[in-house]
Amino acid sequence: MTTNHQSSFRLNVWQADSSCLFYLRGNHGQEVSAKLDYPAKVIDCYEEWRYLYLQFYPKLRARELSSGAITPLVDDLGHELEEAKEIFLDVFQRWLGQLQTIRETIQHQIFTIARKQSQSKKTAEAYREVAIFIACDSVELARLPWEAWQLLPEDIPSGRIRITRIPMTTQGETIALDNMRHGKPRILAILGDNTDLNLEKDKQALKLLKGVAQVEFFDWQHQEDGVNLKAALAAEITDERGWDALFFMGHSDETKVTDGKLAIAPEQLVSISEIKEYLTTAKNQGLQLCVFNSCNGLKIANRLADLGLQVVIMREEVHDNVAHVFLKEFCSSLAQDQDVQEAMLAACRNLQVSEKFVYPSAYLIPSFFSPYGAKPFRIEPWGYQKLLQQWLPKPKEAIALASVLLVSAMVPVQDMLLDGRTFLQAVYRDSTNQFPREGLSSAKPRSVLLIAIDQDSINQAQLEIKGFKTQPMEREYLGKLVRQLSNSGAKVIGIDYLLHTQEPREEKLASAIQSAVSQQDTWFVFGVNQDKNRKVFPKIASPKWSLQGDITFFRWDMELPQDATCNKSCPFAYLLALSHQLHQQPNHRIGLNPNFESTTNFQQQVSQYLQQVSSQDNAIGRRPRYANASVKPKNLPFAIGRRPRYANASVKPKNLPLGMRYIIDFSIPPEQAYEHKPAWEFLKSDFSNIEQQVVIIASGGYDEAEDNFSLPLAIEYWCNPLNRTRKPPDTCPKVFTGGEAHAYMVHHFLSQHTIKLIPDSWMILLAALSGKGTMLLLLQQKPQERQQSILILFGATAVYGIIGLQAYISASLLMPIALPSIILWFYII
């Protein structure tokens, strides 16, 4: 666990006879040295303050103090202590103020970072990462409260810097704290000699950490009689499960040789040198932090920091009540995801501000020691909390993810991506020669015949029919096409024009339709607009002997019915396919012919017939699932779609951009899906197989047509002679018509060929999860391994693209590629 400071400095302070030497080195290469006179006055003021401090606090966590008995508290001693503190701090700041070059170097670096942060519009949080690591070679200098050094003007938040103490013996640069424990953090709390102390309050303060860590107590009072207490403590410290932090509460003091001693029970002392090897073992098992809520911990801290541990100590004697207040605030902050240094500073601020008059000067006592450059210990979340925190998106990730999701929900973007993707699928299908069973070279006629009234047909018709008009389409010309179809034996005819208005010569169209019904038993499906209530004009055709299908559709979606029996309304293409299937049944004539004498709606007759025969075993096609359970027929023989239709027309797929969609498959060439004939050419030709075809009369893309769309890229690919060697050279049309879309749909229904489009949003979220997980794995790898993994990921992304192209053909699934890949690589890069 290494430092993430943007800037850090190491300041070494040596005492050399009557002088003090300072050497500052920054991690950006700065080096500054200075020399000051030994601060005799500072030391004298400190001793005066310390004398009053010891008199003010009569109940301390130290044993065998050299000063002897403590003078009882007097009424005005608090004021004298505060005054002595101010005098001492003033002298201390003045002495340090002579280090002008060192101050300017540190301030320059801080202001440089502040300027960069301001330019990059980042928060000031990173300012706190500017750290100063101070090492003193003498106890007299180390006792001074270096944490109170005012390195910045008062109007600049002091939170921009951190002052950390390090042992002088540390020679290396940044030290990493390795051997991190996994699982729930574990804390060992040692309750020592409680003579004249109330350690129960310390115990209650430590219980504040139980929500984020496992706290276990070692209490001499709970040990078995006759047990070797030191051996038991050593065994506890070196528990093979490891510890993350160790707390000691009780009496402690400095020693000249053994770096300090701890009273682990009445008349039971253990020195730091005695347990040093056990602490080293504990460190290797994950121990990072030691907190000594006891007295005189300077030498203890230096020794343990030299071992590579972080340490919080009291440099002077500490009053029992102060220890309680400090530990409670410290544990509370530590439990709130603050690191150990932040928690210590929060506890000191509480003593300085909230408890100022009750415990004066106490905030100057705590200090934080650490190996140089180590990141302050923090209780990391564990279990599902840690996992959740790791996986939660960071601000930039959340913004990127939300932006991509928003873009994916935009209909123009959906159209663009779908257009590009179907183009790729057309190229891939053509390159790999993976076409449906019919094949491009098959002599079998197409199941759909599209009679297209194009501009050439209109030009010729205008010479034959006086007053010919295209808006609305000339009724006499439509009648001429119907009569020709009837004479050719067509059985299912769809008219993709709205015939809802009364127009001249409409009787000729009506006559042709009625003649086809009466002579050929022809089924007619007329295009209508359900939303605008534009139905067939009654004098042209009656719903009692014809069918009416909605011609509106969401670009380029397959329009599916609310229920497969078309109980209420049905899409135009679905009705055509259903009519064709009914004509292929040997018993379709049983009460299921268009009849001029009928008194009931023909579409209702079809629906009832389908429900009656739904239990028969000779089912044809596949049955979809239904949104409305009340219209869920069993074993329906003529079901064509595979997706439930929404019972409420207000929630059509076009209003659900993030929902599942079924799309027209333009990767199939148009000539394989349907046969296209201009109307003028049809009127001059004979069609021997027309009885087996669904015939659609529709617009052929003339200028005044209302259903002209931009040409899909895939269609442009199929009609371009440069891309296709199988097809004779042809001129690509400028537009793609609604009639062609309906022809594609009819083909898909009859061949049970539908492409399910997995929403971009689903795959984007999946890609975000994959990207986050991949990023977390990459962060655990070494740089060289990470580069190799990224190269592998590039290959994996390409493989995913190929799988997506093949899944479209093999599994009828369109898996989004572009946006999911973008969000995946945003996380990785």
Side-chain angles (χ1 to χ4, degrees):
M1 184 171 63
T2 58
T3 181
N4 66 346
H5 302 304
Q6 291 204 13
S7 183
S8 63
F9 297 90
R10 173 170 180 156
L11 178 63
N12 288 348
V13 185
W14 294 276
Q15 180 180 346
D17 296 329
S18 61
S19 301
C20 285
L21 303 179
F22 295 82
Y23 176 69
L24 179 75
R25 182 177 181 180
N27 64 348
H28 293 285
Q30 309 97 317
E31 292 188 22
V32 181
S33 61
K35 181 179 180 180
L36 296 179
D37 292 336
Y38 182 77
K41 187 176 180 180
V42 174
I43 299 300
D44 289 342
C45 290
Y46 179 79
E47 290 298 333
E48 291 177 12
W49 166 83
R50 184 171 182 269
Y51 173 77
L52 292 172
Y53 170 82
L54 293 175
Q55 285 192 327
F56 183 83
Y57 294 103
K59 190 177 181 181
L60 301 169
R61 291 195 173 188
R63 303 299 303 272
E64 301 174 357
L65 296 176
S66 59
S67 57
I70 301 301
T71 304
L73 181 65
V74 296
D75 293 340
D76 61 349
L77 194 56
H79 173 73
E80 293 183 25
L81 176 59
E82 187 68 14
E83 189 175 65
K85 181 203 72 173
E86 293 297 331
I87 293 173
F88 158 65
L89 289 179
D90 180 66
V91 174
F92 184 49
Q93 299 293 349
R94 288 177 183 274
W95 179 64
L96 293 175
Q98 300 176 66
L99 300 171
Q100 185 174 353
T101 305
I102 290 178
R103 287 170 59 92
E104 289 176 352
T105 301
I106 296 173
Q107 289 179 5
H108 175 74
Q109 188 62 33
I110 291 173
F111 294 147
T112 299
I113 293 175
R115 183 171 58 256
K116 291 181 179 179
Q117 293 291 335
S118 176
Q119 292 173 353
S120 62
K121 298 181 181 180
K122 293 181 180 179
T123 64
E125 185 68 22
Y127 299 151
R128 298 176 181 169
E129 300 305 321
V130 179
I132 301 174
F133 295 87
I134 297 179
C136 300
D137 77 331
S138 73
V139 175
E140 288 79 8
L141 293 175
R143 290 194 187 281
L144 299 177
W146 293 92
E147 294 82 1
W149 187 4
Q150 293 180 359
L151 283 163
L152 293 173
E154 293 183 356
D155 59 340
I156 296 179
S158 60
R160 292 181 176 177
I161 62 174
R162 291 187 180 192
I163 294 179
T164 303
R165 295 174 182 250
I166 57 174
M168 181 63 76
T169 54
T170 301
Q171 298 298 325
E173 291 302 319
T174 299
I175 295 179
L177 298 182
D178 300 320
N179 302 312
M180 301 286 290
R181 283 191 68 260
H182 299 286
K184 187 173 184 178
R186 299 184 73 234
I187 296 175
L188 174 61
I190 303 173
L191 300 177
D193 180 10
N194 60 347
T195 304
D196 298 326
L197 302 180
N198 184 2
L199 296 187
E200 187 61 32
K201 289 187 176 180
D202 293 57
K203 193 172 183 179
Q204 294 302 318
L206 280 166
K207 288 182 178 179
L208 294 173
L209 296 173
K210 284 200 169 183
V212 295
Q214 178 182 346
V215 181
E216 296 187 15
F217 292 93
F218 179 86
D219 190 343
W220 62 273
Q221 300 179 80
H222 297 159
Q223 299 299 315
E224 296 180 3
D225 294 338
V227 69
N228 187 322
L229 200 57
K230 293 184 181 181
L233 177 61
E236 196 73 21
I237 292 174
T238 56
D239 188 320
E240 62 181 10
R241 294 173 295 174
W243 305 100
D244 294 274
L246 181 150
F247 283 69
F248 175 79
M249 287 75 62
H251 295 290
S252 68
D253 205 350
E254 297 176 346
T255 59
K256 293 182 179 180
V257 179
T258 59
D259 299 318
K261 58 185 178 181
L262 308 176
I264 58 175
E267 308 303 327
Q268 286 266 8
L269 300 176
V270 63
S271 66
I272 296 300
S273 61
E274 286 181 286
I275 61 173
K276 181 176 67 173
E277 61 181 290
Y278 305 111
L279 292 172
T280 301
T281 300
K283 175 185 175 294
N284 294 333
Q285 294 174 342
L287 181 65
Q288 300 176 56
L289 172 68
C290 292
V291 178
F292 293 88
N293 198 28
S294 56
C295 298
N296 298 329
L298 265 177
K299 289 189 175 182
I300 295 174
N302 269 297
R303 172 56 61 193
L304 297 187
D306 203 33
L307 294 177
L309 295 169
Q310 297 183 1
V311 191
V312 175
I313 52 92
M314 304 295 182
R315 299 188 316 279
E316 298 287 353
E317 291 86 347
V318 59
H319 189 272
D320 191 37
N321 289 344
V322 172
H324 298 154
V325 173
F326 172 84
L327 188 62
K328 182 178 180 181
E329 186 67 26
F330 177 80
C331 291
S332 177
S333 299
L334 204 60
Q336 295 174 18
D337 199 34
Q338 295 187 28
D339 66 45
V340 60
Q341 193 169 22
E342 291 171 335
M344 188 199 76
L345 293 175
C348 291
R349 283 193 299 271
N350 179 59
L351 288 170
Q352 183 182 9
V353 179
S354 301
E355 306 290 345
K356 177 178 181 179
F357 299 110
V358 182
Y359 306 114
S361 295
Y363 75 94
L364 294 173
I365 304 302
S367 287
F368 173 62
F369 283 72
S370 173
Y372 176 71
K375 184 179 179 182
F377 170 81
R378 185 192 303 272
I379 295 181
E380 299 292 345
W382 62 279
Y384 75 91
Q385 294 178 336
K386 182 175 182 178
L387 187 63
L388 179 62
Q389 186 181 68
Q390 288 180 336
W391 284 85
L392 284 176
K394 296 179 180 179
K396 287 185 178 180
E397 295 170 349
I399 292 173
L401 179 59
S403 300
V404 174
L405 285 172
L406 179 62
V407 168
S408 72
M410 297 178 179
V411 174
V413 175
Q414 291 182 24
D415 289 346
M416 179 185 69
L417 292 174
L418 182 59
D419 197 26
R421 179 58 184 281
T422 51
F423 167 75
L424 288 178
Q425 289 295 158
V427 175
Y428 181 76
R429 189 187 287 274
D430 192 26
S431 302
T432 58
N433 197 32
Q434 297 185 73
F435 293 96
R437 288 189 299 270
E438 298 90 37
L440 285 173
S441 59
S442 175
K444 182 180 178 180
R446 305 283 78 83
S447 58
V448 182
L449 172 62
L450 176 63
I451 308 297
I453 303 177
D454 57 6
Q455 191 61 48
D456 290 339
S457 300
I458 291 174
N459 294 339
Q460 291 189 25
Q462 287 175 338
L463 299 176
E464 302 173 2
I465 302 175
K466 293 183 179 181
F468 185 98
K469 59 181 181 177
T470 58
Q471 287 290 354
M473 176 52 64
E474 174 60 47
R475 299 300 192 247
E476 182 178 348
Y477 189 67
L478 291 176
K480 188 175 182 180
L481 291 173
V482 170
R483 196 171 297 279
Q484 179 71 5
L485 286 169
S486 178
N487 293 337
S488 300
K491 297 301 181 182
V492 178
I493 300 174
I495 300 181
D496 188 15
Y497 279 100
L498 292 176
L499 307 177
H500 60 291
T501 58
Q502 186 175 10
E503 302 296 335
R505 295 180 289 277
E506 65 184 18
E507 67 279 358
K508 294 187 177 182
L509 173 59
S511 174
I513 292 172
Q514 293 176 17
S515 176
V517 171
S518 61
Q519 296 178 15
Q520 300 291 337
D521 291 330
T522 304
W523 287 38
F524 280 91
V525 180
F526 296 98
V528 298
N529 188 319
Q530 296 285 356
D531 291 340
K532 296 182 179 180
N533 198 30
R534 293 180 177 178
K535 299 182 179 181
V536 180
F537 189 66
K539 290 186 178 180
I540 295 178
S542 169
K544 294 180 180 179
W545 49 266
S546 64
L547 302 174
Q548 299 184 11
D550 197 333
I551 60 174
T552 61
F553 59 89
F554 179 60
R555 181 179 176 177
W556 304 108
D557 277 7
M558 289 282 292
E559 289 297 314
L560 304 182
Q562 293 181 17
D563 67 275
T565 66
C566 294
N567 184 44
K568 295 182 179 179
S569 63
C570 259
F572 178 72
Y574 185 90
L575 268 181
L576 282 171
L578 182 61
S579 299
H580 178 76
Q581 279 199 332
L582 288 172
H583 256 286
Q584 304 305 310
Q585 298 303 303
N587 59 344
H588 80 277
R589 299 179 183 277
I590 304 175
L592 200 60
N593 274 331
N595 187 345
F596 293 130
E597 304 300 325
S598 175
T599 58
T600 59
N601 188 294
F602 187 46
Q603 190 160 321
Q604 292 298 319
Q605 296 178 41
V606 171
S607 177
Q608 292 173 7
Y609 171 77
L610 292 177
Q611 294 182 39
Q612 289 173 3
V613 299
S614 63
S615 60
Q616 295 180 6
D617 295 331
N618 59 343
I620 299 176
R622 301 184 183 179
R623 179 170 58 88
R625 302 164 76 182
Y626 306 96
N628 188 344
S630 64
V631 289
K632 186 193 293 183
K634 297 180 180 179
N635 302 319
L636 183 62
F638 306 109
I640 301 170
R642 296 190 212 173
R643 175 169 68 92
R645 185 63 170 167
Y646 303 94
N648 186 348
S650 64
V651 290
K652 292 181 179 179
K654 60 185 177 183
N655 295 324
L656 295 172
L658 304 181
M660 188 72 73
R661 296 164 55 190
Y662 284 70
I663 61 169
I664 300 173
D665 184 9
F666 292 131
S667 74
I668 295 177
E671 65 268 24
Q672 186 174 350
Y674 57 89
E675 184 178 359
H676 182 281
K677 285 293 179 182
W680 67 267
E681 184 178 341
F682 167 73
L683 291 173
K684 298 178 180 180
S685 305
D686 293 327
F687 289 84
S688 57
N689 296 310
I690 201 168
E691 291 185 7
Q692 305 298 320
Q693 293 179 302
V694 174
V695 182
I696 302 176
I697 301 174
S699 160
Y702 51 88
D703 295 339
E704 296 180 1
E706 296 180 347
D707 63 346
N708 291 341
F709 302 93
S710 59
L711 195 67
L713 291 176
I715 300 299
E716 188 174 351
Y717 172 83
W718 291 125
C719 70
N720 194 323
L722 296 178
N723 297 330
R724 294 290 310 288
T725 57
R726 304 188 188 97
K727 179 183 176 183
D730 195 4
T731 302
C732 281
K734 296 181 180 180
V735 297
F736 187 77
T737 67
E740 292 173 296
H742 286 305
Y744 258 110
M745 290 186 208
V746 174
H747 165 268
H748 292 353
F749 283 133
L750 292 176
S751 60
Q752 294 292 333
H753 180 82
T754 51
I755 301 296
K756 183 183 296 184
L757 188 154
I758 299 177
D760 282 273
S761 58
W762 296 8
M763 296 303 295
I764 288 169
L765 292 174
L766 181 60
L769 289 173
S770 301
K772 187 73 173 184
T774 302
M775 180 194 69
L776 294 175
L777 290 175
L778 290 175
L779 290 176
Q780 298 177 9
Q781 295 181 337
K782 297 179 180 179
Q784 186 175 2
E785 295 177 346
R786 192 178 305 160
Q787 292 178 359
Q788 294 175 352
S789 297
I790 289 176
L791 291 176
I792 294 174
L793 286 171
F794 271 115
T797 304
V799 170
Y800 167 75
I802 296 173
I803 291 174
L805 292 173
Q806 187 59 42
Y808 185 99
I809 296 174
S810 301
S812 298
L813 285 177
L814 192 155
M815 299 165 54
I817 296 175
L819 293 181
S821 298
I822 289 173
I823 198 67
L824 174 72
W825 281 99
F826 174 84
Y827 276 89
I828 295 174
I829 297 178

